[in-house]
Amino acid sequence: MKPLQILVLSSHAKMLKIILRALNKSEYWEAVGTKNFQEGIQEFQKNKIDIILFGIGVTPETASKATSEFQKSNPNLKTVWHYGGGTGLLFNEIYTVLNN
Amino acid sequence: MKYIFHQADSRHYNNLGWLQTYHTFSFSNYFDPKRVNFGALRVLNDDTLDPAKGFGQHPHDNMEIVSIPLEGALEHKDSQGNKTVVKKGEVQVMSAGTGIFHSEYNRYKDRTSKFLQIWIYPNKRDVTPRYQQISLEVDKTRNQWVQILSPYVEDAGVWIHQDAWFQLAKLDQGTQIDYAPKLAMNGVYVFVIEGQIEVNEKVLHRRDGYGIWETEKLHFQAQEDTYILLMDIPMTF
């Protein structure tokens, strides 16, 4: 089974690195990260992204813009806001979005 | 009135060797879609740390994190330069906001420390991180609510970025006490730290959790000497 492709948007480089490391420990997920929407667009053009996880520094306006833009090429795209930092809720957030 | 009951032994138990923990709600690798949150209350972990052991430095963001030691003490260090000890009879809060790194270790080398770790979703993302710690007056004021948390800087207890209020109470056997949610849209989650108590005719035992919403008043009657935590929480946020 092809791993789910996850894009993490976060302006906090250190936090982003930790989240990516945690997600990429799972054989079922492949995560890439960008620090802003513009870089996210480039990543989206390279890979078919299944889930976007919005982290630190992403405003609701940016999240809304990113969702509309990215859903043009993947109508099944799922989005989720990350809360809590680290791994406490991270896997739960992915499980929840998949469960829905 | 609507309610949800979480019996103590229905909580998810995780033993990491140095940490024994019971999760009321889904956390880390434990996921049960029926037990994710109670309104803005997302995490209620009942943690026991082995002597001198603890959580090494790790990150948090966008969460209001409340720690209430029940036994012993925790040694806290964070990326904002705070280096403190939070002990039984105190409460600690971190608004993680745009990011904070911290460690929490059992202060004692010869005994375990126990604490409740509670996470509340903030009402605003990316706030400036902050740390606060206060002493409580729970032992001095028996048989009444002691407010330990609110949304207001000037109010009693610590404050957080959410319309939530926490109360602790040590009640003597037979004591009756009422509570009205602060906001009509809030629910109340009661966690029995010790003892046995009747809440709106529902009997709760040690470490049971009981969430109630769409109610104007709750009535409590302690069936034993009881120590409870009440969390008045927005159901939508």
Side-chain angles (χ1 to χ4, degrees):
Chain A
M1 194 173 76
K2 189 176 176 293
L4 276 175
Q5 302 296 309
I6 302 171
L7 172 65
V8 184
L9 286 187
S10 173
S11 61
H12 195 302
K14 202 171 170 184
M15 291 284 193
L16 180 58
K17 197 173 166 184
I18 289 167
I19 289 173
L20 292 176
R21 191 170 60 213
L23 289 173
N24 284 317
K25 276 185 183 170
S26 166
E27 60 182 302
Y28 302 110
W29 303 333
E30 279 179 6
V32 290
T34 64
K35 63 176 186 294
N36 58 43
F37 175 51
Q38 291 309 319
E39 287 182 15
I41 289 176
Q42 291 168 23
E43 205 54 56
F44 219 84
Q45 287 164 347
K46 281 192 279 179
N47 299 302
K48 180 182 177 294
I49 303 294
D50 301 300
I51 296 172
I52 303 182
L53 190 127
F54 298 119
I56 298 170
V58 179
T59 64
E61 294 74 27
T62 302
S64 175
K65 191 174 158 190
T67 304
S68 321
E69 186 64 31
F70 297 154
Q71 276 179 340
K72 286 178 190 167
S73 50
N74 178 8
N76 297 320
L77 175 76
K78 295 174 188 300
T79 62
V80 60
W81 286 94
H82 175 58
Y83 285 90
T87 56
L89 301 184
L90 184 61
F91 306 142
N92 264 247
E93 288 164 343
I94 303 294
Y95 299 149
T96 299
V97 83
L98 293 176
N99 201 52
N100 290 337
Chain B
M1 181 185 95
K2 292 181 178 171
Y3 65 88
I4 184 132
F5 175 58
H6 297 135
Q7 194 166 298
D9 64 8
S10 73
R11 298 176 299 165
H12 180 79
Y13 175 64
N14 198 9
N15 184 350
L16 300 180
W18 56 275
L19 168 72
Q20 288 78 49
T21 178
Y22 290 89
H23 305 318
T24 293
F25 301 105
S26 298
F27 188 76
S28 190
N29 285 318
Y30 159 59
F31 179 66
D32 177 349
K34 291 182 188 141
R35 286 179 73 148
V36 173
N37 62 311
F38 178 79
L41 171 61
R42 179 59 186 81
V43 171
L44 173 53
N45 291 347
D46 184 359
D47 292 347
T48 300
L49 286 172
D50 274 4
K53 300 291 186 183
F55 302 88
Q57 194 186 59
H58 61 282
H60 287 297
D61 69 73
N62 289 306
M63 193 60 73
E64 304 298 302
I65 299 172
V66 182
S67 297
I68 305 173
L70 303 177
E71 285 179 26
L74 302 172
E75 208 165 74
H76 166 94
K77 284 184 198 169
D78 67 44
S79 51
Q80 294 202 305
N82 297 298
K83 193 175 171 183
T84 65
V85 173
V86 54
K87 56 186 185 297
K88 181 184 173 186
E90 296 180 327
V91 61
Q92 173 204 75
V93 67
M94 282 186 296
S95 295
T98 54
I100 190 165
F101 288 73
H102 77 123
S103 62
E104 305 289 337
Y105 280 90
N106 183 352
R107 166 81 159 167
Y108 296 105
K109 292 183 171 48
D110 59 349
R111 58 183 154 127
T112 59
S113 283
K114 297 175 187 285
F115 71 108
L116 299 178
Q117 187 186 163
I118 300 163
W119 294 16
I120 308 285
Y121 283 115
N123 54 17
K124 190 179 174 192
R125 284 183 66 86
D126 293 349
V127 299
T128 302
R130 57 179 286 276
Y131 177 88
Q132 189 183 7
Q133 180 182 331
I134 60 163
S135 293
L136 305 172
E137 301 288 325
V138 183
D139 285 315
K140 292 178 192 164
T141 47
R142 292 187 72 87
N143 300 319
Q144 58 184 287
W145 298 114
V146 176
Q147 182 172 297
I148 65 164
L149 178 147
S150 83
Y152 305 118
V153 180
E154 67 275 12
D155 207 346
V158 295
W159 69 275
I160 63 168
H161 294 276
Q162 187 50 273
D163 291 328
W165 289 260
F166 285 12
Q167 317 280 339
L168 283 169
K170 287 193 170 175
L171 305 173
D172 297 330
Q173 184 177 14
T175 300
Q176 298 189 45
I177 189 168
D178 290 338
Y179 184 83
K182 303 279 188 191
L183 299 173
M185 296 303 287
N186 276 19
V188 169
Y189 195 89
V190 178
F191 184 72
V192 182
I193 297 170
E194 298 291 344
Q196 182 174 307
I197 192 163
E198 198 176 291
V199 183
N200 287 5
E201 300 181 347
K202 171 76 177 170
V203 177
L204 306 181
H205 300 87
R206 184 180 184 274
R207 267 32 178 203
D208 283 348
Y210 191 40
I212 307 127
W213 67 106
E214 294 184 12
T215 187
E216 290 180 3
K217 195 174 87 170
L218 289 90
H219 181 70
F220 297 76
Q221 181 165 4
Q223 295 187 335
E224 298 174 358
D225 287 355
T226 300
Y227 184 24
I228 56 170
L229 169 65
L230 181 152
M231 292 172 275
D232 185 336
I233 298 281
M235 297 306 286
T236 54
F237 54 95

PDB file of all heavy atoms in Angstrom, chain B residues 61-89:
ATOM      1  N   ASP B  61       3.091  23.335  21.312  1.00  0.00           N
ATOM      2  CA  ASP B  61       2.569  24.578  20.747  1.00  0.00           C
ATOM      3  C   ASP B  61       1.049  24.538  20.781  1.00  0.00           C
ATOM      4  O   ASP B  61       0.438  23.475  20.866  1.00  0.00           O
ATOM      5  CB  ASP B  61       3.084  24.815  19.316  1.00  0.00           C
ATOM      6  CG  ASP B  61       2.529  23.857  18.287  1.00  0.00           C
ATOM      7  OD1 ASP B  61       1.345  23.980  17.918  1.00  0.00           O
ATOM      8  OD2 ASP B  61       3.273  22.975  17.844  1.00  0.00           O
ATOM      9  N   ASN B  62       0.471  25.736  20.764  1.00  0.00           N
ATOM     10  CA  ASN B  62      -0.985  25.883  20.653  1.00  0.00           C
ATOM     11  C   ASN B  62      -1.776  24.938  21.564  1.00  0.00           C
ATOM     12  O   ASN B  62      -2.601  24.141  21.087  1.00  0.00           O
ATOM     13  CB  ASN B  62      -1.395  25.726  19.188  1.00  0.00           C
ATOM     14  CG  ASN B  62      -0.945  26.933  18.382  1.00  0.00           C
ATOM     15  OD1 ASN B  62      -1.263  28.063  18.722  1.00  0.00           O
ATOM     16  ND2 ASN B  62      -0.166  26.704  17.342  1.00  0.00           N
ATOM     17  N   MET B  63      -1.526  25.024  22.825  1.00  0.00           N
ATOM     18  CA  MET B  63      -2.288  24.263  23.810  1.00  0.00           C
ATOM     19  C   MET B  63      -2.101  24.921  25.176  1.00  0.00           C
ATOM     20  O   MET B  63      -1.034  25.474  25.454  1.00  0.00           O
ATOM     21  CB  MET B  63      -1.793  22.815  23.853  1.00  0.00           C
ATOM     22  CG  MET B  63      -2.682  21.860  24.598  1.00  0.00           C
ATOM     23  SD  MET B  63      -4.359  21.708  23.961  1.00  0.00           S
ATOM     24  CE  MET B  63      -4.123  20.777  22.451  1.00  0.00           C
ATOM     25  N   GLU B  64      -3.149  24.865  25.975  1.00  0.00           N
ATOM     26  CA  GLU B  64      -3.078  25.327  27.368  1.00  0.00           C
ATOM     27  C   GLU B  64      -2.852  24.077  28.216  1.00  0.00           C
ATOM     28  O   GLU B  64      -3.715  23.189  28.258  1.00  0.00           O
ATOM     29  CB  GLU B  64      -4.377  26.036  27.766  1.00  0.00           C
ATOM     30  CG  GLU B  64      -4.766  27.199  26.860  1.00  0.00           C
ATOM     31  CD  GLU B  64      -3.751  28.325  26.851  1.00  0.00           C
ATOM     32  OE1 GLU B  64      -3.469  28.867  27.935  1.00  0.00           O
ATOM     33  OE2 GLU B  64      -3.246  28.668  25.764  1.00  0.00           O
ATOM     34  N   ILE B  65      -1.697  24.006  28.860  1.00  0.00           N
ATOM     35  CA  ILE B  65      -1.292  22.776  29.551  1.00  0.00           C
ATOM     36  C   ILE B  65      -1.228  23.033  31.057  1.00  0.00           C
ATOM     37  O   ILE B  65      -0.464  23.879  31.521  1.00  0.00           O
ATOM     38  CB  ILE B  65       0.062  22.278  29.014  1.00  0.00           C
ATOM     39  CG1 ILE B  65      -0.090  21.977  27.519  1.00  0.00           C
ATOM     40  CG2 ILE B  65       0.533  21.044  29.777  1.00  0.00           C
ATOM     41  CD1 ILE B  65       1.191  21.657  26.805  1.00  0.00           C
ATOM     42  N   VAL B  66      -2.059  22.304  31.780  1.00  0.00           N
ATOM     43  CA  VAL B  66      -2.181  22.504  33.222  1.00  0.00           C
ATOM     44  C   VAL B  66      -1.672  21.251  33.929  1.00  0.00           C
ATOM     45  O   VAL B  66      -2.058  20.137  33.574  1.00  0.00           O
ATOM     46  CB  VAL B  66      -3.661  22.732  33.615  1.00  0.00           C
ATOM     47  CG1 VAL B  66      -3.795  23.002  35.109  1.00  0.00           C
ATOM     48  CG2 VAL B  66      -4.277  23.857  32.797  1.00  0.00           C
ATOM     49  N   SER B  67      -0.806  21.438  34.918  1.00  0.00           N
ATOM     50  CA  SER B  67      -0.314  20.307  35.708  1.00  0.00           C
ATOM     51  C   SER B  67      -0.680  20.523  37.164  1.00  0.00           C
ATOM     52  O   SER B  67      -0.421  21.596  37.726  1.00  0.00           O
ATOM     53  CB  SER B  67       1.203  20.160  35.574  1.00  0.00           C
ATOM     54  OG  SER B  67       1.540  19.867  34.238  1.00  0.00           O
ATOM     55  N   ILE B  68      -1.266  19.484  37.751  1.00  0.00           N
ATOM     56  CA  ILE B  68      -1.654  19.547  39.170  1.00  0.00           C
ATOM     57  C   ILE B  68      -0.989  18.376  39.891  1.00  0.00           C
ATOM     58  O   ILE B  68      -1.435  17.226  39.764  1.00  0.00           O
ATOM     59  CB  ILE B  68      -3.187  19.460  39.329  1.00  0.00           C
ATOM     60  CG1 ILE B  68      -3.888  20.544  38.496  1.00  0.00           C
ATOM     61  CG2 ILE B  68      -3.577  19.560  40.807  1.00  0.00           C
ATOM     62  CD1 ILE B  68      -5.410  20.421  38.471  1.00  0.00           C
ATOM     63  N   PRO B  69       0.096  18.627  40.640  1.00  0.00           N
ATOM     64  CA  PRO B  69       0.728  17.535  41.380  1.00  0.00           C
ATOM     65  C   PRO B  69      -0.201  17.028  42.494  1.00  0.00           C
ATOM     66  O   PRO B  69      -0.830  17.826  43.190  1.00  0.00           O
ATOM     67  CB  PRO B  69       1.980  18.189  41.990  1.00  0.00           C
ATOM     68  CG  PRO B  69       2.219  19.401  41.159  1.00  0.00           C
ATOM     69  CD  PRO B  69       0.860  19.868  40.743  1.00  0.00           C
ATOM     70  N   LEU B  70      -0.291  15.706  42.602  1.00  0.00           N
ATOM     71  CA  LEU B  70      -1.123  15.094  43.642  1.00  0.00           C
ATOM     72  C   LEU B  70      -0.267  14.519  44.760  1.00  0.00           C
ATOM     73  O   LEU B  70      -0.710  14.392  45.900  1.00  0.00           O
ATOM     74  CB  LEU B  70      -1.999  13.985  43.043  1.00  0.00           C
ATOM     75  CG  LEU B  70      -2.922  14.421  41.896  1.00  0.00           C
ATOM     76  CD1 LEU B  70      -3.671  13.223  41.341  1.00  0.00           C
ATOM     77  CD2 LEU B  70      -3.905  15.492  42.366  1.00  0.00           C
ATOM     78  N   GLU B  71       0.955  14.128  44.391  1.00  0.00           N
ATOM     79  CA  GLU B  71       1.937  13.643  45.380  1.00  0.00           C
ATOM     80  C   GLU B  71       3.307  14.058  44.882  1.00  0.00           C
ATOM     81  O   GLU B  71       3.568  14.004  43.684  1.00  0.00           O
ATOM     82  CB  GLU B  71       1.922  12.115  45.479  1.00  0.00           C
ATOM     83  CG  GLU B  71       0.743  11.540  46.211  1.00  0.00           C
ATOM     84  CD  GLU B  71       0.790  10.002  46.246  1.00  0.00           C
ATOM     85  OE1 GLU B  71       1.896   9.418  46.168  1.00  0.00           O
ATOM     86  OE2 GLU B  71      -0.287   9.405  46.317  1.00  0.00           O
ATOM     87  N   GLY B  72       4.195  14.416  45.797  1.00  0.00           N
ATOM     88  CA  GLY B  72       5.562  14.728  45.409  1.00  0.00           C
ATOM     89  C   GLY B  72       5.700  16.077  44.719  1.00  0.00           C
ATOM     90  O   GLY B  72       4.920  17.003  44.972  1.00  0.00           O
ATOM     91  N   ALA B  73       6.664  16.151  43.802  1.00  0.00           N
ATOM     92  CA  ALA B  73       6.958  17.430  43.151  1.00  0.00           C
ATOM     93  C   ALA B  73       7.647  17.194  41.810  1.00  0.00           C
ATOM     94  O   ALA B  73       8.298  16.170  41.597  1.00  0.00           O
ATOM     95  CB  ALA B  73       7.860  18.270  44.046  1.00  0.00           C
ATOM     96  N   LEU B  74       7.493  18.178  40.924  1.00  0.00           N
ATOM     97  CA  LEU B  74       8.111  18.116  39.599  1.00  0.00           C
ATOM     98  C   LEU B  74       9.131  19.233  39.457  1.00  0.00           C
ATOM     99  O   LEU B  74       8.886  20.362  39.886  1.00  0.00           O
ATOM    100  CB  LEU B  74       7.054  18.306  38.503  1.00  0.00           C
ATOM    101  CG  LEU B  74       5.892  17.325  38.476  1.00  0.00           C
ATOM    102  CD1 LEU B  74       4.841  17.779  37.469  1.00  0.00           C
ATOM    103  CD2 LEU B  74       6.389  15.933  38.125  1.00  0.00           C
ATOM    104  N   GLU B  75      10.244  18.892  38.819  1.00  0.00           N
ATOM    105  CA  GLU B  75      11.265  19.898  38.528  1.00  0.00           C
ATOM    106  C   GLU B  75      11.050  20.336  37.088  1.00  0.00           C
ATOM    107  O   GLU B  75      11.114  19.509  36.177  1.00  0.00           O
ATOM    108  CB  GLU B  75      12.640  19.264  38.691  1.00  0.00           C
ATOM    109  CG  GLU B  75      13.713  20.237  39.069  1.00  0.00           C
ATOM    110  CD  GLU B  75      14.939  19.488  39.568  1.00  0.00           C
ATOM    111  OE1 GLU B  75      15.642  18.896  38.724  1.00  0.00           O
ATOM    112  OE2 GLU B  75      15.155  19.458  40.788  1.00  0.00           O
ATOM    113  N   HIS B  76      10.754  21.611  36.921  1.00  0.00           N
ATOM    114  CA  HIS B  76      10.391  22.135  35.598  1.00  0.00           C
ATOM    115  C   HIS B  76      11.505  23.031  35.053  1.00  0.00           C
ATOM    116  O   HIS B  76      12.024  23.878  35.759  1.00  0.00           O
ATOM    117  CB  HIS B  76       9.088  22.944  35.729  1.00  0.00           C
ATOM    118  CG  HIS B  76       8.789  23.796  34.530  1.00  0.00           C
ATOM    119  ND1 HIS B  76       7.985  23.358  33.502  1.00  0.00           N
ATOM    120  CD2 HIS B  76       9.192  25.049  34.186  1.00  0.00           C
ATOM    121  CE1 HIS B  76       7.901  24.307  32.588  1.00  0.00           C
ATOM    122  NE2 HIS B  76       8.625  25.346  32.971  1.00  0.00           N
ATOM    123  N   LYS B  77      11.839  22.832  33.767  1.00  0.00           N
ATOM    124  CA  LYS B  77      12.747  23.752  33.053  1.00  0.00           C
ATOM    125  C   LYS B  77      12.137  24.003  31.691  1.00  0.00           C
ATOM    126  O   LYS B  77      11.621  23.080  31.060  1.00  0.00           O
ATOM    127  CB  LYS B  77      14.128  23.120  32.850  1.00  0.00           C
ATOM    128  CG  LYS B  77      15.012  23.091  34.077  1.00  0.00           C
ATOM    129  CD  LYS B  77      16.376  22.527  33.705  1.00  0.00           C
ATOM    130  CE  LYS B  77      17.102  22.085  34.963  1.00  0.00           C
ATOM    131  NZ  LYS B  77      18.309  21.306  34.667  1.00  0.00           N
ATOM    132  N   ASP B  78      12.205  25.258  31.219  1.00  0.00           N
ATOM    133  CA  ASP B  78      11.668  25.508  29.875  1.00  0.00           C
ATOM    134  C   ASP B  78      12.508  26.502  29.089  1.00  0.00           C
ATOM    135  O   ASP B  78      13.433  27.124  29.623  1.00  0.00           O
ATOM    136  CB  ASP B  78      10.192  25.953  29.953  1.00  0.00           C
ATOM    137  CG  ASP B  78       9.996  27.301  30.612  1.00  0.00           C
ATOM    138  OD1 ASP B  78      10.757  28.233  30.310  1.00  0.00           O
ATOM    139  OD2 ASP B  78       9.079  27.434  31.441  1.00  0.00           O
ATOM    140  N   SER B  79      12.162  26.625  27.812  1.00  0.00           N
ATOM    141  CA  SER B  79      12.935  27.445  26.874  1.00  0.00           C
ATOM    142  C   SER B  79      12.757  28.937  27.123  1.00  0.00           C
ATOM    143  O   SER B  79      13.409  29.752  26.484  1.00  0.00           O
ATOM    144  CB  SER B  79      12.528  27.109  25.437  1.00  0.00           C
ATOM    145  OG  SER B  79      11.122  27.174  25.288  1.00  0.00           O
ATOM    146  N   GLN B  80      11.874  29.292  28.047  1.00  0.00           N
ATOM    147  CA  GLN B  80      11.721  30.705  28.400  1.00  0.00           C
ATOM    148  C   GLN B  80      12.601  31.083  29.591  1.00  0.00           C
ATOM    149  O   GLN B  80      12.526  32.204  30.082  1.00  0.00           O
ATOM    150  CB  GLN B  80      10.266  30.988  28.742  1.00  0.00           C
ATOM    151  CG  GLN B  80       9.342  30.836  27.550  1.00  0.00           C
ATOM    152  CD  GLN B  80       8.069  31.604  27.738  1.00  0.00           C
ATOM    153  OE1 GLN B  80       7.385  31.413  28.739  1.00  0.00           O
ATOM    154  NE2 GLN B  80       7.768  32.497  26.821  1.00  0.00           N
ATOM    155  N   GLY B  81      13.368  30.120  30.058  1.00  0.00           N
ATOM    156  CA  GLY B  81      14.279  30.387  31.166  1.00  0.00           C
ATOM    157  C   GLY B  81      13.698  30.082  32.535  1.00  0.00           C
ATOM    158  O   GLY B  81      14.339  30.326  33.561  1.00  0.00           O
ATOM    159  N   ASN B  82      12.506  29.551  32.581  1.00  0.00           N
ATOM    160  CA  ASN B  82      11.914  29.191  33.871  1.00  0.00           C
ATOM    161  C   ASN B  82      12.536  27.899  34.389  1.00  0.00           C
ATOM    162  O   ASN B  82      12.659  26.923  33.648  1.00  0.00           O
ATOM    163  CB  ASN B  82      10.397  28.990  33.745  1.00  0.00           C
ATOM    164  CG  ASN B  82       9.693  30.261  33.330  1.00  0.00           C
ATOM    165  OD1 ASN B  82       9.734  31.252  34.039  1.00  0.00           O
ATOM    166  ND2 ASN B  82       9.085  30.248  32.150  1.00  0.00           N
ATOM    167  N   LYS B  83      12.911  27.925  35.651  1.00  0.00           N
ATOM    168  CA  LYS B  83      13.456  26.743  36.305  1.00  0.00           C
ATOM    169  C   LYS B  83      12.800  26.709  37.678  1.00  0.00           C
ATOM    170  O   LYS B  83      13.140  27.509  38.562  1.00  0.00           O
ATOM    171  CB  LYS B  83      14.979  26.898  36.417  1.00  0.00           C
ATOM    172  CG  LYS B  83      15.691  25.631  36.777  1.00  0.00           C
ATOM    173  CD  LYS B  83      17.195  25.849  36.756  1.00  0.00           C
ATOM    174  CE  LYS B  83      17.883  24.623  37.338  1.00  0.00           C
ATOM    175  NZ  LYS B  83      19.327  24.787  37.425  1.00  0.00           N
ATOM    176  N   THR B  84      11.829  25.830  37.852  1.00  0.00           N
ATOM    177  CA  THR B  84      11.036  25.857  39.076  1.00  0.00           C
ATOM    178  C   THR B  84      10.796  24.445  39.590  1.00  0.00           C
ATOM    179  O   THR B  84      11.061  23.459  38.899  1.00  0.00           O
ATOM    180  CB  THR B  84       9.643  26.497  38.831  1.00  0.00           C
ATOM    181  OG1 THR B  84       8.921  25.656  37.943  1.00  0.00           O
ATOM    182  CG2 THR B  84       9.749  27.876  38.229  1.00  0.00           C
ATOM    183  N   VAL B  85      10.257  24.389  40.791  1.00  0.00           N
ATOM    184  CA  VAL B  85       9.747  23.131  41.331  1.00  0.00           C
ATOM    185  C   VAL B  85       8.269  23.363  41.621  1.00  0.00           C
ATOM    186  O   VAL B  85       7.906  24.349  42.267  1.00  0.00           O
ATOM    187  CB  VAL B  85      10.488  22.733  42.630  1.00  0.00           C
ATOM    188  CG1 VAL B  85       9.822  21.518  43.274  1.00  0.00           C
ATOM    189  CG2 VAL B  85      11.947  22.430  42.328  1.00  0.00           C
ATOM    190  N   VAL B  86       7.423  22.477  41.092  1.00  0.00           N
ATOM    191  CA  VAL B  86       5.989  22.590  41.363  1.00  0.00           C
ATOM    192  C   VAL B  86       5.584  21.371  42.183  1.00  0.00           C
ATOM    193  O   VAL B  86       5.826  20.234  41.787  1.00  0.00           O
ATOM    194  CB  VAL B  86       5.158  22.756  40.065  1.00  0.00           C
ATOM    195  CG1 VAL B  86       5.422  21.666  39.064  1.00  0.00           C
ATOM    196  CG2 VAL B  86       3.668  22.821  40.369  1.00  0.00           C
ATOM    197  N   LYS B  87       5.044  21.643  43.368  1.00  0.00           N
ATOM    198  CA  LYS B  87       4.790  20.548  44.306  1.00  0.00           C
ATOM    199  C   LYS B  87       3.305  20.423  44.629  1.00  0.00           C
ATOM    200  O   LYS B  87       2.505  21.285  44.244  1.00  0.00           O
ATOM    201  CB  LYS B  87       5.604  20.756  45.577  1.00  0.00           C
ATOM    202  CG  LYS B  87       5.386  22.069  46.273  1.00  0.00           C
ATOM    203  CD  LYS B  87       6.358  22.211  47.435  1.00  0.00           C
ATOM    204  CE  LYS B  87       6.084  23.464  48.241  1.00  0.00           C
ATOM    205  NZ  LYS B  87       6.271  24.731  47.498  1.00  0.00           N
ATOM    206  N   LYS B  88       2.989  19.334  45.317  1.00  0.00           N
ATOM    207  CA  LYS B  88       1.610  19.123  45.765  1.00  0.00           C
ATOM    208  C   LYS B  88       1.134  20.395  46.473  1.00  0.00           C
ATOM    209  O   LYS B  88       1.872  20.970  47.282  1.00  0.00           O
ATOM    210  CB  LYS B  88       1.572  17.938  46.733  1.00  0.00           C
ATOM    211  CG  LYS B  88       0.204  17.607  47.236  1.00  0.00           C
ATOM    212  CD  LYS B  88       0.272  16.484  48.254  1.00  0.00           C
ATOM    213  CE  LYS B  88      -1.103  16.290  48.885  1.00  0.00           C
ATOM    214  NZ  LYS B  88      -1.055  15.317  49.985  1.00  0.00           N
ATOM    215  N   GLY B  89      -0.078  20.823  46.148  1.00  0.00           N
ATOM    216  CA  GLY B  89      -0.580  22.069  46.725  1.00  0.00           C
ATOM    217  C   GLY B  89      -0.353  23.269  45.821  1.00  0.00           C
ATOM    218  O   GLY B  89      -0.678  24.390  46.183  1.00  0.00           O
TER     219      GLY B  89
END
